[in-house]
Amino acid sequence: MEFTIERSELYKGLQRAQGVVSAKGAKPVLANVLIEADENGVTLFTTNLDIGLRGVYNSNVKTPGKATTQAKNFHDILRELADGEVTIKVDDDGRLRIFSGKSKFTLATIPAVEFPAFPGYDESKLVNLDSAMVSTMIKKTSYAISQDETRLTLNGAFFEISPEKVRMVATDGHRLALIERDGAFKVEETIKSIISRKAVQELAKLLGEGDEPLKYMKQDNHMMFQKTNLTMVVRLIDGAFPNYEQVIPKSHSCEGTLNSDQFSHALRRVSILADEKSRMVKLSFEQSTLSLTSEGGELGDAKDEMEAEFSGEKLDIGLNALYLIDAVNAIDNEIVTVKMHDSLSPLVMQSPEDPGVLSIIMPMRL
Amino acid sequence: MKRFFRITPFRGATFFSTMLQYEQTAKITMQNSEKKPKSILHIDMDAFFVSVETVINPKLKGKQVIVGGPIEGRGVVTSASYQAREKGVHSAMPMVAAKKLCPNAIFLTGSHHLYSDFSRRIMEIMERYTPAVEQVSIDEAYLDITGCLRLHRTKYPFVIANSIHETIANEIGVPCSIGIATNRVTAKIAANLAKPNGVLEVYPDCESAFLSPLPVRKLPGVGPVAEKEYKKLGIREIGDLLKFDPAVLTRVLGKQAEQCAKRAGGESSKDQAESNFLSQERDTAKSIGKEITYSVDTGDPEILAATLAYLSERVAGRMRKAGLSFRKVTLKLRYADFDTYTRSKTINLPTSDPSVIYRTARALLTSLDKKRQKIRLIGVTVSTLTKPDPQINLFDQAENEDKKRKLLNSIDETRERYGFTSIMSARWLGHSQLR
């Protein structure tokens, strides 16, 4: 195998690949990047068995071939090389050589046959999705994905696509974030899948690459995403996502309308003295005022007040300040409304400007 | 030469001469250290349950009194009067054996309620002297009086200890023994030596001189098994332990030995000894458990399930009283041949729900009870204790949770007033040994 390529092009590819290499584990080959040179150019493929990322890059291929070498070292070398053309060559001795100006490197390789194969898929089945839309969906929900490794199905975002709408939901059992967007999608039936936290992060990176639409399809327990020269395959989380529709409150008895900025700043101030573990702040709604209080025990306590449009009976409710701040930030609109029933029922946060985005937070016992 | 201890009341020639020996071994010159040493008291009630019974019924005074489980069956002695102890009765001894040693003793089954009440009143007296009271069991506590000497207008911890000693005797009528030292280990050992009804102070910087001539068995953490192991190495006294290289001790006897050696050091400057001791005690307070020894070994699944239900409620009740939730359940099984097994399971969300303990313990029983033999003892312990999480879960029905909470609170209140068996669950109602 031999090819020449622009340093910047190869470096860009290796940077992307770095995100999904396996940390040194049982299979050393997974710490490697598979390099394939053929008439299409150079393909770089890395995988950690949960996520696989493949990218095709322009290059001048002299001799086609395949090899794998440790992704980190390859990446680090390319980072330090001067701009210009780089020649990559694998000789019969199984060594990968890098030539750039007067710099020469020799890297160990592992035969390409040992590398997992990228699953085959039927490109004609790919469905187009608007990249900006998917990007927004991730932004507005991914914060609520559970960090608790023992609850596997909550360690990902639930993605549902039907002919007329898409939905993304994330929850950690204490709060839930949901976004729904209408549209016309070329799917025959509703497709439901749970995409792991890590895959959601990688997908967000993929979406950041230009404005082209994201192509998507589900195959067995995998999901394919394709954008420009990049293809990502994601192994879906097995299992049933909790019945989230059931916990979305159907009615409410009081409603407050708040300025997001003021609310978020007041929360930040008051949460400094909130209990370290529970991070609880008490919200007290009364007529046109919202007061926020926190009790830090021996450390002290804090109180803040802000204007709020409020309808309903006076209500005190305890909530995790961090959950509230996350929700306000994710909704990211000038005004938020909070709808509540009582101090033990879920709080629903929304913005009148974008009712498709919903954040539900379970209160704490006061 | 200055004495490095004092003791009250005077305890007869033998004891005194032993104490003088310590003194001679010590060859201590009291140093005027710049840093004010800590003053830790260890207060331990003498034959607590028996003493309480004697307060209620003064006729018991001076007699052989033994408090414990039922004589028929497998009850054990929980407390014995000094008159009974002279005959060789000691706590944890089977009641049957005690009956053999003291056939004419007065046997009482005792009332935990009464003892708890006395205990609470005694702790209240201690709290008048210092806020730093750490109760370690129903009848013993550590007090740190370093900071309150001036408050009590004295330079001498001994004066405060004596005052506590008298106040408890006058107001409650129960005798106790108090050890005073610069660290907890030495204070505990001193209290033990001061028994019965004495106060013993070990002066600062005299700890190792005081501890050295004592048998290793006196060290907390050294039981009969460890004692044997130490004897093999020629270690009989705490002083011998100090002469050993800690690394050698650890290699031969394991990690425990290293801690013991540190404790044997005893000096307050060796903060390590104290912090280890502290942490060991905190560890034991990190779990709540209860076990039952059957009067007749059983293999009956219904009895085992009933026992688990009963133990779960007992444990959960204590946990709720302490305002805690658990994440880990441990099941202990002892078979007829005394083979003992334990197995634990950790759950995701902390709770104090007895039904969760029960379900977890049942599952553990199914996976653990593989031996085709009858069971002698079964125990349930919860650990990884935390304050209950105020956060309500999205996917649990909050209303149900709340109803359950209210129900448990009412059960607790009723049991607090009328005793544990005032409310029984049907699962263990029919089993008279589960009380």
Side-chain angles (χ1 to χ4, degrees):
Chain A
M1 179 177 80
E2 186 178 343
F3 62 90
T4 51
I5 187 166
E6 275 298 313
R7 184 205 77 101
S8 56
E9 180 85 350
L10 183 58
Y11 179 54
K12 189 169 69 186
L14 288 169
Q15 261 185 314
R16 288 172 182 150
Q18 274 284 79
V20 291
V21 287
S22 198
K24 275 170 199 156
K27 281 187 99 181
V29 77
L30 295 181
N32 283 12
V33 50
L34 173 70
I35 311 151
E36 277 182 90
D38 56 27
E39 66 277 13
N40 299 324
V42 167
T43 307
L44 299 178
F45 172 38
T46 45
T47 179
N48 59 16
L49 297 183
D50 285 326
I51 307 168
L53 183 68
R54 193 172 68 173
V56 185
Y57 302 92
N58 289 325
S59 83
N60 186 1
V61 177
K62 276 195 190 137
T63 329
K66 284 182 194 182
T68 82
T69 190
Q70 206 203 15
K72 185 176 183 300
N73 281 346
F74 198 14
H75 165 267
D76 290 357
I77 291 167
L78 264 290
R79 185 182 58 207
E80 302 304 335
L81 287 179
D83 266 334
E85 277 207 335
V86 181
T87 303
I88 308 291
K89 200 173 163 189
V90 178
D91 292 322
D92 293 341
D93 63 356
R95 296 268 154 174
L96 183 140
R97 291 186 170 77
I98 308 168
F99 305 92
S100 159
K102 291 186 174 165
S103 313
K104 274 182 208 160
F105 298 85
T106 310
L107 294 176
T109 63
I110 296 178
V113 288
E114 288 186 27
F115 208 79
F118 197 90
Y121 62 100
D122 181 358
E123 286 203 33
S124 67
K125 286 190 179 159
L126 287 168
V127 176
N128 276 9
L129 290 175
D130 180 54
S131 285
M133 179 191 76
V134 179
S135 198
T136 308
M137 292 177 80
I138 292 175
K139 256 185 231 154
K140 307 250 170 190
T141 55
S142 59
Y143 68 91
I145 298 175
S146 172
Q147 308 263 15
D148 181 358
E149 306 261 311
T150 58
R151 308 178 77 182
L152 202 61
T153 55
L154 300 190
N155 285 168
F158 177 75
F159 186 68
E160 184 184 289
I161 181 162
S162 63
E164 66 281 356
K165 68 180 181 202
V166 279
R167 240 186 202 189
M168 197 177 258
V169 187
T171 178
D172 61 8
H174 295 155
R175 55 173 166 171
L176 179 146
L178 179 148
I179 181 167
E180 193 177 282
R181 288 287 185 257
D182 294 332
F185 305 102
K186 282 185 211 141
V187 289
E188 282 152 18
E189 52 184 14
T190 307
I191 302 170
K192 297 174 180 180
S193 30
I194 308 173
I195 309 169
S196 73
R197 157 194 294 279
K198 171 81 177 146
V200 169
Q201 285 166 359
E202 290 303 321
L203 179 59
K205 279 193 214 164
L206 185 71
L207 290 162
E209 310 260 358
D211 299 328
E212 293 90 345
L214 178 76
K215 289 179 179 166
Y216 140 95
M217 70 177 279
K218 188 181 171 187
Q219 176 173 298
D220 305 326
N221 62 341
H222 286 92
M223 212 166 209
M224 300 284 175
F225 295 103
Q226 202 183 64
K227 190 170 171 181
T228 61
N229 59 336
L230 294 166
T231 314
M232 189 163 88
V233 56
V234 166
R235 195 167 67 154
L236 298 171
I237 293 181
D238 211 16
F241 198 71
N243 186 356
Y244 65 93
E245 284 176 306
Q246 188 194 313
V247 300
I248 301 174
K250 309 277 180 293
S251 64
H252 59 274
S253 57
C254 40
E255 182 174 339
T257 306
L258 308 164
N259 175 297
S260 300
D261 232 28
Q262 282 177 20
F263 187 37
S264 154
H265 280 111
L267 282 168
R268 274 166 211 276
R269 282 192 292 269
V270 172
S271 68
I272 295 168
L273 287 175
D275 177 75
E276 217 171 298
K277 224 172 165 190
S278 71
R279 310 305 306 172
M280 175 156 70
V281 291
K282 186 170 89 176
L283 306 187
S284 309
F285 291 93
E286 196 173 9
Q287 289 167 0
S288 58
T289 331
L290 164 64
S291 35
L292 305 92
T293 45
S294 64
E295 284 166 16
E298 287 171 1
L299 298 173
D301 33 51
K303 183 171 177 167
D304 215 314
E305 263 184 23
M306 62 178 284
E307 262 180 54
E309 267 177 48
F310 183 68
S311 62
E313 292 277 296
K314 179 184 184 303
L315 178 74
D316 286 348
I317 184 167
L319 292 145
N320 183 326
L322 303 182
Y323 293 173
L324 286 167
I325 294 170
D326 278 349
V328 176
N329 287 349
I331 287 174
D332 193 24
N333 268 314
E334 208 184 319
I335 284 168
V336 289
T337 60
V338 285
K339 294 172 185 169
M340 294 149 291
H341 188 66
D342 57 35
S343 63
L344 295 176
S345 309
L347 171 145
V348 181
M349 195 188 291
Q350 245 171 326
S351 165
E353 294 151 70
D354 187 357
V357 181
L358 203 70
S359 184
I360 297 169
I361 306 173
M362 220 45 207
M364 296 176 141
R365 282 169 219 280
L366 284 168
Chain B
M1 199 176 75
K2 209 165 173 182
R3 301 246 310 277
F4 68 89
F5 64 87
R6 49 176 151 181
I7 186 157
T8 184
F10 182 64
R11 193 65 57 60
T14 333
F15 190 83
F16 198 68
S17 73
T18 339
M19 283 331 247
L20 278 175
Q21 262 178 19
Y22 292 145
E23 207 170 331
Q24 279 153 15
T25 341
K27 290 176 191 159
I28 290 299
T29 43
M30 286 286 286
Q31 290 166 357
N32 293 323
S33 67
E34 281 169 27
K35 208 179 143 197
K36 198 176 163 195
K38 281 207 158 205
S39 291
I40 309 288
L41 307 189
H42 182 253
I43 306 184
D44 193 3
M45 300 299 128
D46 299 334
F48 183 51
F49 297 169
V50 171
S51 302
V52 172
E53 296 291 349
T54 312
V55 171
I56 303 295
N57 180 6
K59 282 181 189 161
L60 295 176
K61 200 165 184 176
K63 295 190 177 143
Q64 294 176 352
V65 182
I66 295 170
V67 178
I71 300 172
E72 48 299 332
R74 285 163 172 171
V76 292
V77 176
T78 47
S79 179
S81 71
Y82 282 87
Q83 287 74 18
R85 288 186 198 193
E86 278 169 18
K87 301 278 177 196
V89 177
H90 57 82
S91 52
M93 169 186 266
M95 286 298 263
V96 183
K99 177 93 182 168
K100 259 184 206 160
L101 290 170
C102 295
N104 299 321
I106 299 158
F107 289 90
L108 300 169
T109 40
S111 137
H112 210 80
H113 257 281
L114 186 66
Y115 307 147
S116 304
D117 186 48
F118 268 73
S119 171
R120 188 180 45 76
R121 284 163 56 207
I122 291 165
M123 295 300 152
E124 275 169 15
I125 292 178
M126 296 180 193
E127 276 159 11
R128 287 183 215 160
Y129 288 85
T130 168
V133 176
E134 190 182 322
Q135 186 174 358
V136 285
S137 77
I138 191 161
D139 69 339
E140 54 179 327
Y142 287 99
L143 276 67
D144 185 344
I145 56 164
T146 317
C148 29
L149 287 167
R150 202 191 259 174
L151 179 73
H152 297 286
R153 299 206 174 80
T154 177
K155 277 183 189 167
Y156 308 108
F158 194 73
V159 174
I160 297 180
N162 256 333
S163 166
I164 298 175
H165 193 257
E166 272 171 32
T167 314
I168 294 177
N170 292 341
E171 290 187 20
I172 314 287
V174 171
C176 66
S177 297
I178 306 182
I180 312 166
T182 53
N183 63 67
R184 295 157 65 107
V185 193
T186 315
K188 189 178 168 81
I189 295 171
N192 200 1
L193 283 177
K195 272 178 180 299
N197 205 16
V199 179
L200 175 60
E201 176 177 11
V202 179
Y203 291 141
D205 292 327
C206 303
E207 297 85 357
S208 81
F210 166 77
L211 292 173
S212 287
L214 298 174
V216 277
R217 184 69 193 273
K218 294 276 179 199
L219 272 181
V222 178
V225 178
E227 189 186 16
K228 254 188 202 166
E229 293 296 313
Y230 282 123
K231 271 198 181 143
K232 280 186 199 159
L233 291 177
I235 300 171
R236 280 161 205 283
E237 290 164 1
I238 296 176
D240 301 335
L241 195 59
L242 286 172
K243 289 175 207 147
F244 261 83
D245 178 2
V248 175
L249 279 179
T250 314
R251 206 168 57 235
V252 182
L253 297 166
K255 245 186 177 161
Q256 187 68 29
E258 191 190 334
Q259 285 197 11
C260 281
K262 280 178 182 160
R263 280 175 204 168
E267 298 108 339
S268 55
S269 59
K270 285 192 179 170
D271 285 337
Q272 192 59 33
E274 191 170 342
S275 69
N276 272 336
F277 189 54
L278 269 168
S279 70
Q280 197 204 7
E281 275 179 355
R282 294 251 167 84
D283 279 346
T284 53
K286 276 179 183 165
S287 66
I288 295 175
K290 183 148 178 80
E291 55 189 41
I292 267 192
T293 306
Y294 294 111
S295 48
V296 179
D297 296 342
T298 183
D300 183 346
E302 202 174 297
I303 294 179
L304 293 175
T307 313
L308 288 182
Y310 167 77
L311 294 174
S312 304
E313 274 188 55
R314 278 281 190 186
V315 166
R318 274 169 64 196
M319 198 164 39
R320 285 195 300 271
K321 203 169 175 188
L324 294 170
S325 293
F326 73 94
R327 281 196 55 199
K328 190 170 169 186
V329 179
T330 306
L331 178 79
K332 178 176 170 186
L333 284 187
R334 177 170 294 153
Y335 288 96
D337 63 358
F338 278 85
D339 263 4
T340 309
Y341 299 87
T342 60
R343 186 166 287 182
S344 310
K345 185 173 162 57
T346 301
I347 58 163
N348 277 333
L349 298 169
T351 172
S352 60
D353 187 346
S355 61
V356 177
I357 307 181
Y358 173 70
R359 277 202 303 275
T360 316
R362 280 271 325 237
L364 286 170
L365 179 67
T366 318
S367 70
L368 190 57
D369 183 18
K370 297 286 183 217
K371 205 166 159 170
R372 292 180 170 272
Q373 232 191 54
K374 285 188 171 174
I375 289 167
R376 176 186 171 85
L377 173 149
I378 189 162
V380 172
T381 301
V382 292
S383 50
T384 320
L385 303 176
T386 54
K387 291 253 175 253
D389 190 355
Q391 177 70 54
I392 306 169
N393 289 314
L394 199 50
F395 299 102
D396 289 337
Q397 291 300 316
E399 276 171 38
N400 288 349
E401 283 271 295
D402 235 49
K403 274 183 193 160
K404 200 173 223 171
R405 189 181 298 258
K406 277 180 190 156
L407 173 69
L408 290 174
N409 280 344
S410 330
I411 292 179
D412 286 343
E413 276 168 28
T414 314
R415 281 180 174 165
E416 180 78 17
R417 197 172 297 172
Y418 302 107
F420 186 79
T421 48
S422 57
I423 295 182
M424 295 192 256
S425 74
R427 206 174 252 130
W428 50 273
L429 177 66
H431 301 269
S432 59
Q433 54 180 314
L434 304 175
R435 290 292 181 268

